[in-house]
Amino acid sequence: MKINQNTKIVGDKIVLVPYKEQHVPKYHLWMQDSELRELTASEPLSLEQEYGMCKSWREDDDKCTFVVLDKEEYEATNDEIESMIGDVNLFLTVDDRSEAEVEIMIAESSKRGQGRGKEALLFMMRYGIEELKITSYIAKIKMKNLISIQIFEKIGFNKISESDFFQEVTLELLVDDHFYSYLMDCTLSYNLLRS
C-alpha cells in the first residue's frame, strides 16, 4: 500500500517502518524456519518470490505492512536490518475497505514475550482506524499458537469460528467508542512521522 511508504511509527519498545526491498533478505531467512511458517500459515518462497511479495505489499491497495524494529537496537545502531524483529500486516477484506484481517509476527524469539508484539499490533490497529478508516478487524490464528490467541483476546477480540481442517481460529473485533478509548489509552507513546 503506497499510503504508508513514507511513514514511520515510533513507540516505547518498537518502531514500525514500511516493508522495502532492503528488508527482504532477512525476512526470507526468517521464513526458512518451518515452525515460523507453520505458525504464520506461510508457504516456503524463493528469494525471488519474496521480492515479488514485497513489491505486491508496497503497490496493492488492499494490503498494508510494516516491519517491526526493536527500538532500543534501532536507536543504538540506526540500522533497520540489524534491528528487524518481525512484521505486522493488514489485508483489507471487503469492497468498502472497512474490514481488515490483521497479523503480527515477532520472528526473533529473543524479542518475544516482552510486549513488543502487542505494541506493534495496537499501533497497526490504530493506524488502520485513523488512516484507513477500518471499523472491524479479524484475525486467523493457528490453534496451537495459544500465546497469540491470548493476546488478541486480551485486546478485545472474540472467537467467531474454529476450523479443525485448517487448525485455526477466527477472532473478530468491532471498533466502537469503548474500544477506541481503550486503544488510545494503550497507545499513548504512538508517534506517527511522515517524511
Side-chain angles (χ1 to χ4, degrees):
M1 185 173 278
K2 293 181 179 178
I3 192 172
N4 77 325
Q5 66 185 347
N6 297 312
T7 302
K8 181 185 287 186
I9 305 173
V10 180
D12 285 331
K13 299 179 180 190
I14 56 102
V15 177
L16 301 181
V17 296
Y19 183 39
K20 297 182 178 174
E21 287 184 353
Q22 68 197 42
H23 303 117
V24 171
K26 186 168 183 178
Y27 185 87
H28 180 67
L29 186 62
W30 288 337
M31 299 316 289
Q32 301 311 300
D33 182 322
S34 59
E35 183 181 1
L36 201 53
R37 280 198 317 270
E38 184 181 345
L39 289 173
T40 59
S42 300
E43 295 294 323
L45 300 176
S46 68
L47 185 57
E48 184 179 326
Q49 289 170 317
E50 208 71 75
Y51 277 108
M53 289 297 289
C54 177
K55 182 178 181 185
S56 167
W57 278 102
R58 188 176 58 249
E59 295 179 3
D60 292 357
D61 286 340
D62 62 346
K63 300 175 187 151
C64 184
T65 191
F66 286 97
V67 170
V68 181
L69 310 179
D70 178 86
K71 183 181 178 184
E72 185 177 331
E73 205 166 319
Y74 181 61
E75 288 179 340
T77 65
N78 202 32
D79 184 331
E80 288 184 9
I81 310 308
E82 186 68 28
S83 53
M84 275 176 71
I85 61 169
D87 72 339
V88 61
N89 310 301
L90 292 179
F91 299 93
L92 283 66
T93 58
V94 294
D95 290 340
D96 68 3
R97 306 210 181 274
S98 62
E99 179 183 273
E101 182 177 343
V102 61
E103 298 178 337
I104 176 71
M105 174 185 75
I106 300 300
E108 295 291 335
S109 57
S110 65
K111 302 297 181 177
R112 295 179 190 151
Q114 301 162 26
R116 289 174 182 84
K118 183 176 179 182
E119 184 173 80
L121 176 62
L122 291 170
F123 280 14
M124 181 56 120
M125 292 177 71
R126 179 169 169 180
Y127 181 83
I129 294 165
E130 294 179 349
E131 304 297 320
L132 306 175
K133 309 305 178 209
I134 303 299
T135 59
S136 66
Y137 288 99
I138 61 167
K140 295 180 180 180
I141 305 171
K142 288 292 184 184
M143 288 177 182
K144 69 186 248 177
N145 194 345
L146 298 176
I147 293 171
S148 287
I149 292 169
Q150 290 171 351
I151 290 169
F152 278 80
E153 288 178 337
K154 283 181 185 175
I155 288 171
F157 280 77
N158 296 301
K159 189 186 303 183
I160 58 170
S161 68
E162 230 176 79
S163 170
D164 290 331
F165 181 77
F166 290 110
Q167 285 295 296
E168 70 182 15
V169 297
T170 301
L171 302 114
E172 180 182 53
L173 185 141
L174 303 177
V175 177
D176 58 17
D177 291 342
H178 176 74
F179 174 75
Y180 187 68
S181 176
Y182 162 80
L183 182 63
M184 295 303 286
D185 288 344
C186 292
T187 58
L188 295 174
S189 66
Y190 179 97
N191 187 12
L192 189 147
L193 308 170
R194 290 193 172 95
S195 56

